Amino acid sequence: MNNSSRDLNLIRQFVQTLKDTDIVELVWERPGIKLGVKKESQDFVIQPATAASSSAKEPSKPSLEQEDVSKTAPQDSGLTAVKSTMVGIFYRSTEKDGNPLVKERDLVKEGQPIAVVEAMKIFKEVRATRDGKIVQFLVESGQPVEYGQKLVLLKT
Amino acid sequence: MFKKVLIANRGEIALRVIRACRELGISTVAVFSEADRDAAYLNLADEKICIGPASPTDSYLNISQIISAAEITNADAIHPGYGFLAENPYFAEVCATCGITFIGPSSKVISTMGDKVKARRMMMKAGISVIPGSENVLTNPDEAVKIARKIKYPVLLKAVAGGGGRGMRLVDSETGLREGYVQAQQEASQAFGNGDLYLERALNSPRHIEFQIMADSEGNIVYLPERECSIQRRHQKLIEESPSVAVDSKLRRRMGHAAVRAARKSKYVTCGTVEFLLDTKGKFYFMEMNTRIQVEHPVTELVSGIDLVKMQILLAAGEKLKTQQDDVRISGHTIECRINSEDPNNDFMPSTGKITRLILPGGPGIRVDTHIYQGYEVLPFYDSMLAKLISEGCTREEAISRMRRALDEFVIEGIKTTIPFHKLVINDEFFQKGKIDTGFVQKRIYPASSTPS
């Protein structure tokens, strides 16, 4: 009884401390106790699969799909979309089958390369437009993108 | 035959090409700038791709974006329309390098015809009269003065890389020539990045007569009935018609054969236009060759019954020309008025804004080629042409009366248009009698506000 109420208190304090952070997942283990914490901002909802797969088949669709995403991700949530400055093929890494430059949840600095767009064998880096955390990639590696298409959501 | 064509243009001509492709069963890719995102014609294309911001240099003139768009959509050909990249030899070359068919002649032909001095020289070799003038690029004003004395004033200073009347000066004295030389040079280098000039004698009251040609890769070439484009303002065509009242069947044959010779000499393939000036004595001179589909192509389509855009695509795909010269007929008479978003009562100032009300004319013998609709926003970034109003009739009189009726039916509110100007021309006694030349607008419509050209 005593132990468990103390544990409960500890957990409460723990959650309170985490309240104002961005932590998405944390696992804390001690003998006899394992605490897992996941925290996800609930103010935006994203459906990545539909946006990515339908636009791959039909280049006329992506703009519409992304409008939907931006609507569910209001400006005041601190989300910014990094857009493509050229028409081409979007890649997450600079080499074929290489490691992605960044992953979702990575923290990035303004100007940091986060992906590339290739056109006519020329690779152009997509750079983070501000400091922040990669929330989500809106297009899959190898997918064609148009000018101004939203590629990555950043949270600041 | 092509499976998918990308249209590297916007507005009316993009729609025209989409229509031709749909009739041919070819898929289409429309490209657009951010400013054109909501244009309705884009929905008629099978795919659409944003290629850049509103500024043409960043979008419709951006070669790498357009080629990338063709690559990611697997388009096997690009139709350049008119304007933008249509007569850019470098673009045609890039297309060829990337294995994409450029729907037009070869890069080499575009380059030769784009250099007006080279083109003149080539035509002289082909035995076609050119307007007396300088044989080479002018090196300085003194040389221009010397040549002008020989060919006699008035003379026309023109830009070697010219088009659309820019870098052009009509001068009637040595002082005027020296002044005009500097101005024209500046204007040309600004407009075309090339300030080279040449000189031509200015003809007295010439008519602008041009011939559409179609050529296949096996050297079969056919000319179609002429277009008269004498109704111009500051060298910009405003009304075109076919056939011309000044051309009889004998002259048509002579000019048509000259056009075919010009195409053969330059090894031209697909559709093109050879422009001539016709003087009051019936003598004609080569002016230039346009290596693209022209704005005024519908007048020829209606009198000849040939769909020129479809023909252009077929010829670019390597199809053989099936039409023989003897098959070409002239049926009736056709007139086209270019409806621009300009205010004819205010020196043709461009007018932009939302079209609040639109009623298109129709009925017998009327065709309207346009991309606009009620609610369409006329943007300041692009060409001012809103619509091409085309009338046809059994006779010129009938074509004129139908045009008059259609201009009355045409309602465009929210912006200023050139409809009132066209009404003035159509109702002009001299126009109705066919007494027109390239000075008509200045002499008959706006005699008071005669502007230096």
Side-chain angles (χ1 to χ4, degrees):
Chain A
M1 272 300 274
N2 224 0
N3 263 359
S4 63
S5 73
R6 203 186 59 208
D7 284 345
L8 197 63
N9 252 342
L10 195 66
I11 291 166
R12 278 208 186 103
Q13 276 177 29
F14 201 73
V15 169
Q16 198 61 40
T17 317
L18 293 177
K19 209 172 166 184
D20 297 313
T21 72
D22 273 333
I23 285 174
V24 171
E25 190 163 359
L26 183 140
V27 181
W28 184 53
E29 268 185 278
R30 290 187 67 172
I33 184 167
K34 181 177 177 180
L35 177 67
V37 177
K38 265 191 189 176
K39 194 162 169 286
E40 179 93 67
S41 304
Q42 293 304 309
D43 54 354
F44 60 91
V45 185
I46 303 148
Q47 297 99 17
T50 51
S53 60
S54 70
S55 55
K57 271 180 252 138
E58 218 175 332
S60 62
K61 284 277 159 64
S63 53
L64 292 175
E65 299 282 351
Q66 263 125 56
E67 288 312 312
D68 295 340
V69 171
S70 69
K71 268 172 207 155
T72 49
Q75 293 298 313
D76 55 19
S77 69
L79 280 182
T80 336
V82 180
K83 295 176 184 175
S84 180
T85 55
M86 58 190 260
V87 180
I89 309 287
F90 175 83
Y91 292 106
R92 296 269 306 268
S93 69
T94 48
E95 289 159 47
K96 196 171 181 286
D97 304 323
N99 287 329
L101 286 163
V102 290
K103 298 185 298 294
E104 282 166 5
R105 293 170 196 160
D106 279 2
L107 290 170
V108 293
K109 289 268 174 221
E110 184 182 332
Q112 183 180 333
I114 54 178
V116 288
V117 174
E118 181 258 299
M120 292 179 286
K121 315 280 184 292
I122 293 165
F123 289 83
K124 193 166 187 241
E125 281 169 340
V126 176
R127 292 168 182 275
T129 45
R130 54 161 100 172
D131 294 358
K133 191 176 66 178
I134 304 283
V135 175
Q136 192 191 13
F137 280 90
L138 300 169
V139 281
E140 285 164 12
S141 207
Q143 188 189 316
V145 292
E146 62 180 356
Y147 175 86
Q149 185 167 343
K150 290 170 182 159
L151 305 173
V152 181
L153 283 181
L154 275 182
K155 188 172 168 66
T156 47
Chain B
M1 179 45 61
F2 306 126
K3 285 192 176 66
K4 199 188 269 187
V5 168
L6 180 140
I7 300 132
N9 215 301
R10 66 177 299 281
E12 173 274 326
I13 194 63
L15 175 56
R16 175 72 188 86
V17 177
I18 291 172
R19 285 174 169 155
C21 288
R22 285 175 75 107
E23 289 178 26
L24 289 168
I26 300 171
S27 301
T28 49
V29 181
V31 296
F32 61 97
S33 74
E34 285 181 319
D36 280 331
R37 187 174 289 279
D38 297 327
Y41 66 86
L42 294 172
N43 298 324
L44 293 177
D46 296 292
E47 294 168 57
K48 52 180 178 175
I49 291 192
C50 182
I51 50 163
S55 160
T57 35
D58 297 326
S59 47
Y60 298 108
L61 288 169
N62 190 327
I63 293 178
S64 65
Q65 299 285 59
I66 290 168
I67 297 286
S68 301
E71 289 196 333
I72 66 173
T73 53
N74 281 320
D76 38 21
I78 294 183
H79 195 299
Y82 50 69
F84 295 127
L85 297 169
E87 287 169 291
N88 182 322
Y90 175 66
F91 180 60
E93 197 186 314
V94 173
C95 288
T97 313
C98 296
I100 300 164
T101 306
F102 174 82
I103 300 179
S106 69
S107 168
K108 198 162 168 269
V109 175
I110 299 171
S111 165
T112 306
M113 291 305 171
D115 183 323
K116 307 302 171 194
V117 168
K118 268 192 201 163
R120 270 167 67 89
R121 231 179 277 150
M122 181 185 267
M123 293 310 134
M124 283 191 268
K125 274 188 201 153
I128 301 163
S129 320
V130 299
I131 303 161
S134 57
E135 263 174 57
N136 296 303
V137 175
L138 297 169
T139 50
N140 56 59
D142 292 337
E143 190 194 356
V145 167
K146 226 159 111 189
I147 296 169
R149 267 188 212 136
K150 221 188 303 170
I151 62 172
K152 298 207 169 48
Y153 289 98
V155 295
L156 209 52
L157 273 168
K158 290 170 118 179
V160 169
R166 283 176 302 179
M168 207 186 274
R169 283 289 180 289
L170 176 69
V171 292
D172 55 9
S173 68
E174 191 177 317
T175 332
L177 179 56
R178 287 185 189 277
E179 270 172 33
Y181 191 95
V182 180
Q183 293 167 355
Q185 200 168 34
Q186 265 175 5
E187 208 172 287
S189 65
Q190 261 172 23
F192 316 109
N194 175 357
D196 288 347
L197 301 176
Y198 69 105
L199 203 62
E200 269 179 10
R201 181 197 292 161
L203 300 180
N204 180 32
S205 306
R207 287 170 181 260
H208 176 119
I209 307 285
E210 59 185 35
F211 278 78
Q212 179 78 53
I213 59 100
M214 309 187 294
D216 68 17
S217 49
E218 291 173 27
N220 301 302
I221 308 173
V222 163
Y223 68 87
L224 296 178
E226 76 283 353
R227 294 189 285 259
E228 166 145 21
C229 316
S230 298
I231 308 298
Q232 309 179 349
R233 184 183 166 274
R234 297 187 181 170
H235 307 286
Q236 299 284 343
K237 296 166 187 168
L238 292 168
I239 298 180
E240 300 95 348
E241 62 181 304
S242 182
S244 163
V245 296
V247 178
D248 58 18
S249 58
K250 213 174 132 195
L251 181 58
R252 180 170 302 121
R253 208 173 310 124
R254 281 176 51 219
M255 293 182 82
H257 285 166
V260 168
R261 275 209 304 283
R264 194 176 308 285
K265 185 79 185 170
S266 60
K267 299 195 172 67
Y268 201 95
V269 181
T270 66
C271 296
T273 297
V274 184
E275 297 189 336
F276 297 101
L277 284 181
L278 177 68
D279 73 11
T280 46
K281 296 185 186 91
K283 197 163 166 18
F284 62 88
Y285 304 89
F286 169 85
M287 192 161 46
E288 61 181 48
M289 183 162 188
N290 294 145
T291 57
R292 57 166 195 270
I293 191 79
Q294 284 181 294
V295 173
E296 62 270 29
H297 73 271
V299 295
T300 307
E301 293 186 323
L302 294 184
V303 290
S304 69
I306 294 171
D307 185 317
L308 286 169
V309 180
K310 281 203 284 196
M311 191 57 80
Q312 188 190 21
I313 294 168
L314 292 170
L315 292 169
E319 300 265 320
K320 215 184 141 196
L321 192 60
K322 291 186 188 79
T323 314
Q324 310 236 313
Q325 193 59 56
D326 290 344
D327 303 335
V328 178
R329 294 273 177 277
I330 303 180
S331 154
H333 198 98
T334 307
I335 303 174
E336 172 184 276
C337 290
R338 298 191 190 188
I339 313 296
N340 296 342
S341 55
E342 293 168 4
D343 183 0
N345 295 320
N346 186 15
D347 201 30
F348 288 77
M349 275 279 282
S351 171
T352 56
K354 188 170 264 190
I355 294 172
T356 51
R357 188 155 179 256
L358 178 70
I359 300 172
L360 294 179
I366 295 298
R367 163 174 164 183
V368 185
D369 279 20
T370 185
H371 60 291
I372 63 166
Y373 45 89
Q374 197 156 310
Y376 178 84
E377 181 102 22
V378 180
L379 302 163
F381 315 105
Y382 311 115
D383 191 84
S384 63
M385 199 176 70
L386 297 174
K388 302 190 297 205
L389 173 57
I390 307 127
S391 74
E392 61 176 330
C394 293
T395 59
R396 188 169 187 267
E397 289 66 38
E398 190 176 41
I400 288 177
S401 62
R402 282 181 169 159
M403 182 59 84
R404 184 185 299 117
R405 167 180 68 75
L407 286 167
D408 286 338
E409 290 178 14
F410 211 150
V411 177
I412 306 179
E413 286 174 11
I415 49 162
K416 300 271 193 252
T417 76
T418 49
I419 291 174
F421 164 83
H422 289 296
K423 286 181 182 170
L424 288 178
V425 176
I426 292 296
N427 290 315
D428 182 88
E429 190 194 329
F430 280 44
F431 178 82
Q432 288 171 1
K433 287 180 181 159
K435 289 184 183 171
I436 52 175
D437 60 63
T438 55
F440 175 87
V441 172
Q442 212 173 358
K443 284 182 283 195
R444 293 286 304 176
I445 307 296
Y446 301 113
S449 67
S450 57
T451 45
S453 59

